[in-house]
Amino acid sequence: MNRFAREKKKHSLLRQIVSTAAIFCCAVFLLLFGANAVSESANTEQAKSLQTAITRSAVQCYATEGAYPESLEYLCGHYGISWDPDKYVVDYEILGANLMPTITVIPLS
């Protein structure tokens, strides 16, 4: 018998299957966790982008018409602002005709 040769163990195949399954489960978990983090980051960036678009449209309205828009519906109708109401809540608070309105965008998910 060769002294450098190892004896084959009975459970080596089972051990390989279990370790492969464990590594696969860890990889799937990490992939799902990463996808969730990317999705949350994208929602936050979309909310910031929507708030910036509404603010720019309000400023453009002030520059062309001499007053800030009376309502958010006016901005939607005349300046092309749109969003998914199932994803974001937009609060448009008017302070006066010559004062910049307070605009808040809150992601729902």
Side-chain angles (χ1 to χ4, degrees):
M1 180 171 182
N2 187 354
R3 65 181 178 177
F4 296 109
R6 292 186 178 177
E7 292 182 27
K8 293 185 179 182
K9 296 182 180 178
K10 295 178 184 178
H11 301 291
S12 64
L13 179 63
L14 180 62
R15 189 173 294 155
Q16 287 177 352
I17 291 173
V18 170
S19 64
T20 303
I23 290 171
F24 178 75
C25 288
C26 289
V28 168
F29 175 76
L30 290 175
L31 180 68
L32 292 176
F33 182 74
N36 188 28
V38 168
S39 176
E40 288 178 12
S41 176
N43 283 340
T44 303
E45 288 300 316
Q46 286 177 353
K48 287 179 184 178
S49 177
L50 177 59
Q51 185 167 359
T52 301
I54 294 171
T55 302
R56 287 182 180 175
S57 295
V59 170
Q60 182 181 2
C61 179
Y62 182 78
T64 57
E65 300 178 18
Y68 287 106
E70 309 170 344
S71 67
L72 193 56
E73 289 78 24
Y74 185 83
L75 277 178
C76 292
H78 292 88
Y79 291 90
I81 297 294
S82 64
W83 70 92
D84 185 2
D86 294 332
K87 292 179 92 176
Y88 304 102
V89 173
V90 178
D91 181 41
Y92 185 83
E93 200 172 323
I94 303 165
L95 304 174
N98 291 331
L99 296 175
M100 178 73 178
T102 303
I103 302 164
T104 307
V105 176
I106 302 169
L108 293 176
S109 57

